[in-house]
């Protein structure tokens, strides 16, 4: 799959569009087909090396899209469900598919919310629960 990677720390010129391995969800995780990824100051910090991340690194701390697969033990979510999610633990949102903890996923069923807007909400509106 395609992903934006940070192969080395530096200016925006270091960003690359690369082929990377398709992630599979582990226990308590989901994988998401990414429709939109939010762009935040965090991505700049990752790229500049201000945050200690292993290289190459796929940035992206929030996304919207549809659930692709459920890992073992995940309940209350379903494949194909529209969602917004934080991917801040391991990044990876700037890719075609990302995995994240099911606890960091907010279903968008029944909300009249554009997916591009939904991708910008998780890191900017996180509380004990998402409020739309």
């Amino acid at each position: 799959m395609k992903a934006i990677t940070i192969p080395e720390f530096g200016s925006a010129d270091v960003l690359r569009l690369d082929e990377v391995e398709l992630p599979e969800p582990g226990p308590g995780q989901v994988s998401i087909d990414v429709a939109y990824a939010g762009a935040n100051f965090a991505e700049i910090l990752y790229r500049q090396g201000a945050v200690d991340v292993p290289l190459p690194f796929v940035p992206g701390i929030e996304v919207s899209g549809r659930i692709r697969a459920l890992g073992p033990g995940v309940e209350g979510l379903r494949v194909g469900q529209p969602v917004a999610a934080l991917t801040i633990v391991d990044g990876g949102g700037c890719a075609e598919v990302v995995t994240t903890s099911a606890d960091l996923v907010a279903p968008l069923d029944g909300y009249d919310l554009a997916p591009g807007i939904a991708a910008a909400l998780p890191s900017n509106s996180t509380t004990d629960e998402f409020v739309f």
Side-chain angles (χ1 to χ4, degrees):
M1 73 164 182
K2 291 187 180 354
I4 300 295
T5 66
I6 300 170
E8 62 184 284
F9 299 121
S11 68
D13 294 341
V14 302
L15 297 172
R16 300 283 179 260
L17 179 62
D18 287 324
E19 287 288 328
V20 300
E21 191 173 320
L22 183 71
E24 295 294 331
Q29 294 184 319
V30 300
S31 63
I32 299 169
D33 287 321
V34 176
Y36 291 88
N40 299 282
F41 185 60
E43 278 76 40
I44 294 171
L45 296 175
Y46 292 140
R47 180 180 42 79
Q48 291 176 339
V51 179
D52 186 25
V53 295
L55 297 178
F57 182 73
V58 178
I61 64 169
E62 58 188 352
V63 301
S64 67
R66 292 190 176 272
I67 294 179
R68 177 186 187 92
L70 304 174
V74 174
E75 296 179 5
L77 298 169
R78 69 181 188 289
V79 172
Q81 186 172 32
V83 295
L86 276 172
T87 55
I88 194 166
V89 175
D90 295 314
C94 294
E96 292 179 303
V97 177
V98 65
T99 58
T100 194
S101 171
D103 292 339
L104 299 177
V105 175
L108 297 177
D109 299 310
Y111 293 102
D112 185 22
L113 186 63
I117 299 296
L121 292 175
S123 74
N124 294 305
S125 65
T126 305
T127 61
D128 288 345
E129 53 186 275
F130 291 103
V131 179
F132 294 96

